[in-house]
Amino acid sequence: MQTPAAVDYVRATSVANAIALLNEHGEDARLLAGGHSLLPMMKLRLARPDILIDINDLDELRGIRVEGDELVLGAMVTHAEVLSSPILAEHYAIFREAEKVIADPIVRNKGTVGGSMCQADPSEDLSAVGAALKGSVVIQNATGTRTVPLREFHEGPYETKVADGEILTEVRFPIRPRAGSAYEKVERRVGDWPVCSAGAYVVVSGGVVTDVGIGLTAVGAEHFCAPEAEAFLIGKAPSEENLAAAAQLAADSCSPNADQRGPADYKQHLAMELTLRALRRAAASSQGA
Amino acid sequence: MTAVDEAPLSAAGNPIGFGSMKRVEDQRFVRGQGNYVDDVNLPGMLHSAILRSPFAHARIVSIDTSAAEALPGVVAVITGKILEGIPRPSLLGDNFAWMPTLSYDTQAVLATDKVRFQGQEVAFVIAESRYIAKDALELIDVEYEPLEPVMDAKKALDADAPIIRDDKGQTDNRITDVHGNQTWESGNKEATEAAFVAAAADPNCVIVEEDILYPRVHPAPMETCGSVAYLDKVTGQLTLYTTSQAPHAHRTVYAMVAGLPEQKIRVISPDIGGGFGNKVGVYPGYVLSVIGTIVTGKPVKWMEDRSENLMSTSFARDYHMKAKIAATKDGKILAVDVYVLADHGAFNGVAQPTNFPAGFFNIFSGSYDYPNAHCLVEPVYTNKAPGGVAYACSFRITEAAYVIERLVDCLAQELEMDPADLRLKNLIKPEQFPYTSPTGWEYDSGQYEKTMRVAMDIAGYDELRREQAEKRAKGEYMGIGISFFTEGVGAGPRRTMDILGLGMADGIELRVHPTGKAVLRLSVQSQGQGHETTFAQIVSHELGIPPEDIDVVHGDTDQTPFGLGTYGSRSTPVSGAAASVVAKKVRDRARIVAAAALECSPDDLEWELGRWFVKGDKERGKTIQEIALLSHSSLELPEGVEGHLDATAVYNPPNLTYPYGCYICVVDVDPGTGQVKVRRFIAVDDCGVRINPMIVEGQVHGGLADGVGMALMELIAFDEDGNNLGGSFMDYLLPTAVECPDWELGETVTPSPHHPIGAKGVGESATVGSPAAVVNAVIDAISPFGVRHADMPLTPANVWRAIQGRNVRTDMAVE
Ligand SMILES: Cc1cc2nc3c(=O)[nH]c(=O)nc-3n(C[C@H](O)[C@H](O)[C@H](O)COP(=O)(O)OP(=O)(O)OC[C@H]3O[C@@H](n4cnc5c(N)ncnc54)[C@H](O)[C@@H]3O)c2cc1C
C-alpha cells in the first residue's frame, strides 16, 4: 500500500465556496475532482497539498448540454459520461473514439473533463481532442469568469492558465454541421497513456476542405495542435496526397521526446501516420461515406 | 493409457479421484475471505517501512536518523551500522548487516558501506502505524557519494568497469559460485565445435547465428512481499507470518541467519496472492521484521508497496544470449552452441539447485534429436536488483526454450523452409524415450509429433498459411508462430539436487479419522495452484474417499512435515507423488485391518476404489470408512498395524518429469504503427495424467497471458544513471484480457513412467512455451521486410524499428 502524507480535507458546497476556500488556503490547497491524477501523485508523495477541496458535490459543474451553437461540458463531467453521451456523439465521433481508449472503465467512471484539462499532462488525450475541435474553457475566480481558447490554455507541461484561487467550470466546443471527426491512438497496452494520439475534424464542401482542426498529444505539439497543416489543407481537395502532405506538416511541427514508450523518430512517424488516418476518416465521414 | 478413466462421482458431485471439479479454496477467495499476510494483525503489533537508495551505486557517507527518531509514534530506526554491532552466533558471517543468499553469496540486509542498486535497503523504521513509518523515512538524512554504476551487462567485465563487490575484495565483476567456478559450461564442447567446423566447410550445410536477449522481467504477483514477526521472549518462540513459497526452507534459513534454534521457529504462509518465483528468496524486509521484533519485543509487520516489489525483489531472466545452429540444407539439425552473458544484479541471489548455477538452462537443446550441444554461461554483477530465477521459469527453462525456438525459426527462414516442417523433421521420436539429451538430461516420455499434429489441426495450419499468402499479396501482415518446448520439472533427485544443502525431497502425512475422513499435511505451498483441491483428489484416487472428505493442510511449519516448497513446477512431480505414496501406505494398512475383520489373509483381498473385498466374493468386503473405524476399535489387529491407518512418507524423485507442448500463435501486425494484435493462440500441452483438467487449463491460461505479456510489453529496463524504468504498474505493463485472445487448448496424455500417478508438472509450461510462439509469429509477420529477429518486448516502437531495419537494445533506456 502506498501512503500519502497527512492532508486535510474539506467538501466545497458551491463554486463560490470552492473559490473562497482556495483563496483562504492559498497555494497549499488543491481541488479534488476525480482524483485519478492527483491521488496517485500524492501516494507517491510527488504532490503533497496540505488540504484537498473536494468539488464532487457541485452539481452546477455537471451535465452536458447544447447552448446556442456550442456544446457545453461541465468541469465535473466524467470520461464515462463523455463516452456515452448521445449529444456529443451526434455532433462529433471524436469524443467517443477518444474516450474508448482513455484509461480504463474504473478511471473513466471517476476521472473528469476538468481534471484532465487542469492536470495538463503532455500526454493527455482530451487535450488533443480539445485542441482539434478548437474548444475553449471557462475559468472562474472571486471577481468573475473569463473564457480562454484551449489553444492558449496550456502554459507548458502540467501548467495552465488556471491561476491560484481559480476554478475551471466549463469546457465548450463549437458545433460544426457537416464536420466529420476521428481519433487515432497507439498505446503499448489498453489503458496505457498514448505513445501518440491524433484527432481531427474536417468539413468538406464543394469538393474542398473548408474547415479543419488537428490535435496531437504526447509528441510535443505546441498547444496540442498543428495549425500549419490545417492552413495547408484549406481550399484543397481531401485527396490522399493532400492529406498525407498535411499529416507530414503536422508531424514536422512536433518535437517528441524519447521515453520507454518509444524513440523520438518513431513518435514523429506516428504523428504523421495517425494524423493521416484521422484526417482520412474525418474527411470521408464529412462527405457522408 | 492415453486418457484418464472417468472417476465415479461422490455424493457432493465431485470426482472420486481425477477429473474436473471446482477449486475448494475459491469458496473463501470469491467471498473476500482469504487470509493474506497483510490481513494478519496481532495485538500490540507495530508497523514498519524501509528507506531505499535512490542511487544505483553510491558510497554512504553518513546517515542521520535523529529527526526520524524524534517523530512521535516512531519506536526505533535501524541502520546497517546498528546491525553491524549485533553479533551473530552463526557460521554465515559474524553480524546481522549481511545475510547469505540462496546461491552462497552475501547480500546486505541494510547497506553499510555502499548501496549497489536503486531501491536497496538503507534504513528500517518501526512505528505505531504505517503512515508514521513512511513519514519518518522522509526525515532520515543520508549523505551519499554517487559512484559510476554498471548498468550495461556487456560492460561489466570491461577492464575499467567500476567494481561493485569491493565488500568481498573483488577486483572485477565476475561471480564465483560455491564450487569456485566463474563460468558454467554444459554439453560437449569439442564435438560441438567440430560439428560447426565441419558444417562451415560443407556446402550442404548452413550455420545461423543470432544475438538473442531475454530481457529482465518481474513476476509482479498481485500480493507484494511482506511478513509479520513475533518473538515471544518468554518461550523464545519466533512466529513468522510471511509470503513464502517455501516455508520449511525459509525456517531453516532463518535458523542459520539468525542463529535461532530451529525448533523455536514457526513459519506460517497463509494465503499467498501469487508467487511465480518472486516469493522463493529470503528478502531483507523479512529479516528486518524479525530483527524488529527482537529489538522491540512486539510483533512487527513489514509489507512492501508495489514499487518496492518491482524494484527490489527477485527479477527474472536478463540473459544475453549468442546462439548458433548448424544444420544440413534439407533441415536436419546438427549442433547448437549458446554463449550466455548472465546479469545477476548486485548480489548473486539466484534460487536454484546448488549444482545448477545456471538453473536448468542447459536443457536448451530442446525437443529435437541431434548429437551435439554446448553452452557456456558467464555470470556478472551489475548495479541492479538481485534475484534471478523467478517468474515461472522452471529454473531458466524459459530462457532455454526461447533461445532454441527462436533459433529454429531463424534457421527455417534461412532455409526457406516451413517452420512446422523443420520441427517435424527433427522432433525426438516416441521410440527414442527415455531420451538422453546432448547435455545429459533424461527425458522420460513424449509423443512429440502427435502433439504437434493436434496443435496444427486445431489451428488449421495449412489454411492459415494460405490466408497469410493471400493477405501478403494485399499488403497485410499476418504471422504464424510455433513453439515446441520440453521442460524438466520436479526438482529433484536428492543425489544431484539441493538448495543450500537441503535435498529436494518432500515429506507428507496422511491421517484418517475414525469416521473415514482424512487430513493430508503437505510441505508445498500453494500460491494459487489449487493444492487444496488437487491433493485431495490424489488421495481420493488412491483411497476412494470423496475429495470433500479430505482436508489439505499446508503453509504452517508446525503443522506440516519438511519439504522444499512450491516453485519450478515441483509440487505435483514431488509432493503429488508423495501424496500417492502415502495414500498407498494407508491402503496397505487398511488391507491388514480389513483382513483381520474379515478373518482372512491380506493376500486374499482385492482392492476396488474405496474398498477391500475377498477375491472371488465381492459381497464380502469393507469400505475404507469402515476400515478406518475398525482400526480404532477393539478389533484384535495382526502384526504390521499398531492401530489406526495414519502414515507418513518422504518422496525422493528418481528423475525430473518432462512435460512438453506445442503452441501456435497467430498475430496481425500493423506495419504503419508497429502494433501487434494476438488473434489466436493454440496451446496443446502434454503434462501426463491430468489430476484436475480444469485446474490444468487454468494454469495454462495464466501462463499464456504471462507469455503474451513478456513477448509484447513486460520489461525492467534501466537508464545509464541506474534508474529502474519499470518501477510501477504505469511503467511495468502487465497484459489484460484485451490483449489475450480466447485461448484454444488441446491435450495429449503421455504419462510419466516413473511418477506414481503418471503426472508431470504443468504450472510453468505455458510461461515457458508461449513467449517464443508470440515472438515467432510477429517475426513471421514482418519477415517480408527482411526481419529475422527482434528482441522482446515487441512494443509497437520496437516492431516499427525492426521493420525499419534498426533493431534496438531493449534492456537499456529507449533513446
Ligand atoms: C491508470 C490510468 C490511466 C490513464 N490513462 C489515460 C489515458 O490513456 N489518456 C489520458 O488522457 N489520460 C489518462 N489518464 C488520466 C486521466 O484521464 C486523468 O487522471 C483524469 O481524468 C483526471 O481527472 P480527475 O478528475 O481524476 O482529476 P484530479 O486527479 O482530481 O485532478 C487533477 C488536477 O486537476 C486539478 N483540478 C481538477 N478539477 C479542476 C477544476 N475544475 N478546476 C481547476 N483545477 C482542477 C486538481 O486540483 C489536480 O491538480 C489515466 C489515469 C490513470 C489513473
Side-chain angles (χ1 to χ4, degrees):
Chain A
M1 185 181 67
Q2 254 130 357
T3 45
V7 64
D8 274 338
Y9 173 87
V10 57
R11 291 185 88 92
T13 53
S14 66
V15 170
N17 174 240
I19 292 167
L21 287 165
L22 280 173
N23 285 324
E24 180 186 334
H25 294 284
E27 60 181 22
D28 298 328
R30 288 287 273 277
L31 295 176
L32 176 69
H36 273 291
S37 288
L38 187 52
L39 296 185
M41 289 196 305
M42 288 171 60
K43 285 182 175 182
L44 293 169
R45 301 196 176 201
L46 295 174
R48 39 191 324 161
D50 287 344
I51 182 164
L52 292 178
I53 301 166
D54 188 335
I55 53 174
N56 279 276
D57 288 343
L58 307 188
D59 288 341
E60 51 197 299
L61 296 179
R62 298 203 181 269
I64 299 172
R65 59 186 189 278
V66 175
E67 246 182 56
D69 55 3
E70 281 190 318
L71 294 165
V72 182
L73 284 68
M76 290 302 290
V77 166
T78 63
H79 290 297
E81 287 166 340
V82 175
L83 177 63
S84 60
S85 162
I87 301 176
L88 296 180
E90 187 192 323
H91 295 281
Y92 292 109
I94 191 172
F95 285 112
R96 218 186 116 68
E97 290 187 7
E99 285 293 358
K100 257 167 60 179
V101 290
I102 291 177
D104 51 52
I106 299 161
V107 174
R108 291 200 294 258
N109 282 339
K110 255 331 223 175
T112 65
V113 171
S116 298
M117 293 300 170
C118 294
Q119 181 65 24
D121 189 294
S123 300
E124 180 64 51
D125 279 297
L126 280 188
S127 297
V129 174
L133 296 183
K134 300 169 190 160
S136 57
V137 295
V138 179
I139 300 171
Q140 188 172 334
N141 59 27
T143 57
T145 66
R146 67 183 195 284
T147 300
V148 177
L150 267 170
R151 290 186 173 196
E152 292 165 21
F153 178 65
H154 294 94
E155 306 265 69
Y158 310 102
E159 279 176 48
T160 69
K161 287 249 154 66
V162 179
D164 286 348
E166 293 192 327
I167 178 168
L168 184 151
T169 55
E170 282 173 7
V171 185
R172 296 173 160 261
F173 300 100
I175 293 172
R176 302 179 178 92
R178 288 179 294 109
S181 64
Y183 198 73
E184 293 279 344
K185 173 173 177 174
V186 169
E187 52 193 357
R188 292 175 301 175
R189 187 207 62 194
V190 69
D192 188 26
W193 290 82
V195 183
C196 169
S197 300
Y201 80 85
V202 178
V203 180
V204 182
S205 182
V208 296
V209 174
T210 57
D211 193 4
V212 56
I214 297 171
L216 289 139
T217 193
V219 282
E222 210 179 333
H223 291 295
F224 298 92
C225 56
E228 288 161 33
E230 292 164 357
F232 169 84
L233 272 182
I234 296 294
K236 293 206 174 65
S239 65
E240 179 68 14
E241 197 188 346
N242 285 332
L243 298 182
Q248 191 57 54
L249 279 174
D252 291 346
S253 70
C254 296
S255 45
N257 293 323
D259 61 15
Q260 287 308 98
R261 292 194 169 79
D265 62 345
Y266 170 64
K267 293 184 181 183
Q268 200 113 30
H269 162 78
L270 279 186
M272 185 280 294
E273 182 73 30
L274 299 186
T275 303
L276 175 59
R277 291 182 186 193
L279 284 172
R280 258 188 217 139
R281 291 198 295 114
S285 127
S286 171
Q287 295 167 97
Chain B
M1 178 160 62
T2 52
V4 186
D5 294 338
E6 227 159 271
L9 296 186
S10 71
N14 293 320
I16 303 181
F18 303 154
S20 289
M21 64 177 272
K22 284 186 183 160
R23 303 200 316 171
V24 176
E25 41 273 82
D26 291 346
Q27 292 283 349
R28 63 179 186 277
F29 293 143
V30 298
R31 288 174 165 83
Q33 299 293 313
N35 182 40
Y36 298 91
V37 169
D38 206 18
D39 295 321
V40 174
N41 286 304
L42 303 180
M45 188 176 78
L46 298 171
H47 298 260
S48 67
I50 292 175
L51 181 72
R52 294 179 181 276
S53 167
F55 296 104
H57 201 191
R59 198 162 299 289
I60 296 177
V61 179
S62 64
I63 304 181
D64 181 355
T65 59
S66 52
E69 281 162 54
L71 185 72
V74 170
V75 178
V77 182
I78 295 170
T79 60
K81 275 270 169 299
I82 294 175
L83 295 185
E84 261 180 337
I86 309 178
R88 173 167 55 197
S90 132
L91 299 173
L92 297 160
D94 53 8
N95 67 66
F96 276 97
W98 293 82
M99 64 176 193
T101 71
L102 296 181
S103 293
Y104 295 90
D105 194 1
T106 48
Q107 173 172 1
V109 176
L110 289 175
T112 50
D113 52 342
K114 287 201 310 193
V115 287
R116 293 176 170 82
F117 68 93
Q118 189 185 49
Q120 187 180 336
E121 299 79 3
V122 174
F124 185 63
V125 173
I126 304 167
E128 283 162 12
S129 81
R130 186 181 172 87
Y131 283 87
I132 296 172
K134 284 267 185 173
D135 289 346
L137 294 186
E138 299 184 332
L139 300 174
I140 299 174
D141 189 11
V142 185
E143 192 188 328
Y144 294 99
E145 178 196 322
L147 302 169
E148 188 194 332
V150 180
M151 302 319 299
D152 182 349
K154 292 184 173 173
K155 294 183 183 157
L157 297 179
D158 287 358
D160 60 347
I163 307 299
I164 299 166
R165 297 304 300 276
D166 45 349
D167 58 295
K168 299 206 297 181
Q170 293 223 170
T171 53
D172 59 24
N173 292 317
R174 289 188 180 279
I175 292 175
T176 310
D177 73 13
V178 66
H179 304 298
N181 297 322
Q182 294 195 324
T183 56
W184 306 319
E185 209 161 351
S186 181
N188 188 334
K189 185 175 181 199
E190 284 76 34
T192 305
E193 275 175 4
F196 275 98
V197 171
D202 187 340
N204 289 317
C205 291
V206 292
I207 294 173
V208 174
E209 268 189 80
E210 198 62 75
D211 282 345
I212 298 173
L213 168 71
Y214 207 131
R216 183 175 275 238
V217 292
H218 198 277
M222 190 84 84
E223 178 202 33
T224 58
C225 299
S227 54
V228 178
Y230 178 50
L231 179 72
D232 182 328
K233 291 217 163 147
V234 178
T235 62
Q237 168 99 25
L238 173 71
T239 306
L240 184 68
Y241 297 85
T242 186
T243 49
S244 170
Q245 296 177 223
H248 290 278
H250 276 198
R251 185 189 61 202
T252 304
V253 172
Y254 288 113
M256 298 194 300
V257 173
L260 292 168
E262 195 167 356
Q263 85 280 12
K264 295 286 190 193
I265 304 176
R266 179 180 183 189
V267 174
I268 301 174
S269 286
D271 287 326
I272 301 296
F276 313 107
N278 189 233
K279 292 166 181 169
V280 174
V282 173
Y283 295 120
Y286 302 156
V287 175
L288 288 166
S289 69
V290 173
I291 292 168
T293 184
I294 293 173
V295 169
T296 63
K298 299 216 169 132
V300 173
K301 177 186 281 187
W302 168 72
M303 201 76 219
E304 285 172 341
D305 62 32
R306 180 59 57 193
S307 294
E308 292 183 285
N309 180 255
L310 285 168
M311 291 175 69
S312 72
T313 63
S314 234
F315 70 95
R317 330 283 192 250
D318 223 340
Y319 259 31
H320 300 249
M321 302 177 278
K322 204 176 216 359
K324 58 181 178 182
I325 187 166
T328 61
K329 281 199 170 148
D330 59 355
K332 189 79 194 100
I333 301 173
L334 300 168
V336 172
D337 202 345
V338 187
Y339 164 80
V340 183
L341 179 67
D343 185 338
H344 283 227
F347 308 102
N348 185 23
V350 174
Q352 83 266 292
T354 308
N355 294 331
F356 298 83
F360 300 164
F361 177 76
N362 63 343
I363 202 168
F364 69 88
S365 66
S367 315
Y368 311 108
D369 177 29
Y370 55 95
N372 300 309
H374 167 255
C375 72
L376 178 82
V377 180
E378 191 162 38
V380 293
Y381 289 118
T382 58
N383 286 113
K384 305 180 188 173
V389 174
Y391 204 168
C393 66
S394 303
F395 296 123
R396 302 250 191 234
I397 296 177
T398 313
E399 290 92 319
Y402 181 68
V403 76
I404 184 69
E405 287 309 291
R406 212 46 294 286
L407 205 52
V408 166
D409 257 39
C410 292
L411 176 64
Q413 198 173 326
E414 180 74 24
L415 296 174
E416 293 179 15
M417 221 174 139
D418 185 299
D421 291 340
L422 179 58
R423 285 182 172 81
L424 285 167
K425 190 165 186 142
N426 288 282
L427 288 175
I428 298 164
K429 304 206 162 29
E431 61 274 15
Q432 291 178 283
F433 290 91
Y435 176 85
T436 303
S437 83
T439 53
W441 296 96
E442 192 186 299
Y443 296 6
D444 58 352
S445 63
Q447 308 173 73
Y448 289 179
E449 177 170 347
K450 175 179 168 187
T451 307
M452 181 145 171
R453 298 241 179 243
V454 171
M456 290 171 71
D457 281 351
I458 298 174
Y461 187 76
D462 295 338
E463 183 48 42
L464 285 173
R465 285 287 172 207
R466 260 196 298 280
E467 183 191 347
Q468 181 183 41
E470 279 167 23
K471 289 223 154 116
R472 273 194 191 160
K474 287 191 284 177
E476 289 170 29
Y477 295 87
M478 140 186 191
I480 304 151
I482 304 174
S483 157
F484 198 108
F485 64 93
T486 300
E487 295 179 273
V489 304
R494 305 173 59 144
R495 79 192 124 76
T496 50
M497 294 183 189
D498 70 271
I499 290 184
L500 283 181
L502 303 171
M504 301 186 79
D506 283 356
I508 201 155
E509 282 175 27
L510 179 58
R511 292 188 194 166
V512 184
H513 295 321
T515 54
K517 317 286 184 194
V519 177
L520 183 70
R521 294 171 187 278
L522 302 179
S523 64
V524 285
Q525 173 63 43
S526 174
Q527 311 122 46
Q529 290 88 343
H531 290 174
E532 290 167 40
T533 310
T534 47
F535 279 84
Q537 289 185 264
I538 295 172
V539 172
S540 180
H541 171 79
E542 301 293 3
L543 290 178
I545 300 174
E548 62 268 22
D549 289 349
I550 304 163
D551 270 13
V552 174
V553 177
H554 60 104
D556 180 344
T557 56
D558 272 11
Q559 302 279 329
T560 57
F562 192 89
L564 270 235
T566 295
Y567 44 83
S569 299
R570 65 185 297 282
S571 291
T572 297
V574 187
S575 273
S580 166
V581 168
V582 79
K584 281 183 187 137
K585 280 192 182 177
V586 166
R587 198 160 84 192
D588 290 344
R589 292 169 71 91
R591 182 180 201 166
I592 298 169
V593 176
L598 295 166
E599 295 176 341
C600 63
S601 153
D603 292 342
D604 296 335
L605 296 180
E606 202 176 314
W607 175 258
E608 67 174 350
L609 188 63
R611 184 170 179 270
W612 283 110
F613 65 93
V614 179
K615 282 179 193 158
D617 185 1
K618 222 167 173 185
E619 298 301 297
R620 257 182 79 207
K622 294 284 178 198
T623 64
I624 188 75
Q625 289 82 1
E626 289 167 337
I627 299 169
L629 191 55
L630 285 167
S631 75
H632 286 271
S633 72
S634 57
L635 176 73
E636 202 162 312
L637 296 173
E639 224 163 284
V641 200
E642 313 73 30
H644 72 67
L645 300 177
D646 305 356
T648 66
V650 176
Y651 189 77
N652 174 30
N655 187 6
L656 302 180
T657 64
Y658 293 78
Y660 66 93
C662 181
Y663 293 173
I664 300 178
C665 177
V666 184
V667 301
D668 295 299
V669 175
D670 180 339
T673 61
Q675 281 171 302
V676 173
K677 170 95 190 137
V678 179
R679 192 206 307 175
R680 288 180 69 194
F681 201 107
I682 295 93
V684 179
D685 278 279
D686 192 324
C687 57
V689 171
R690 295 182 171 212
I691 299 159
N692 184 324
M694 186 162 73
I695 286 183
V696 170
E697 289 183 6
Q699 294 283 298
V700 173
H701 282 191
L704 295 179
D706 269 351
V708 168
M710 287 181 284
L712 300 184
M713 60 193 81
E714 292 183 39
L715 175 69
I716 304 258
F718 293 84
D719 68 16
E720 281 182 1
D721 299 331
N723 294 306
N724 184 319
L725 303 176
S728 82
F729 276 164
M730 292 281 278
D731 310 294
Y732 192 82
L733 299 179
L734 292 172
T736 74
V738 177
E739 284 75 35
C740 297
D742 234 345
W743 312 115
E744 299 171 62
L745 304 192
E747 66 172 49
T748 57
V749 176
T750 312
S752 167
H754 61 79
H755 188 278
I757 54 171
K760 302 178 176 185
V762 73
E764 298 162 313
S765 296
T767 314
V768 166
S770 57
V774 179
V775 173
N776 284 347
V778 175
I779 302 296
D780 183 50
I782 60 177
S783 60
F785 297 99
V787 182
R788 194 172 79 181
H789 178 72
D791 283 326
M792 296 186 281
L794 294 173
T795 59
N798 290 342
V799 172
W800 184 78
R801 276 268 180 117
I803 291 173
Q804 307 297 308
R806 290 182 288 140
N807 273 345
V808 276
R809 274 186 71 173
T810 58
D811 57 327
M812 304 296 288
V814 173
E815 285 179 349

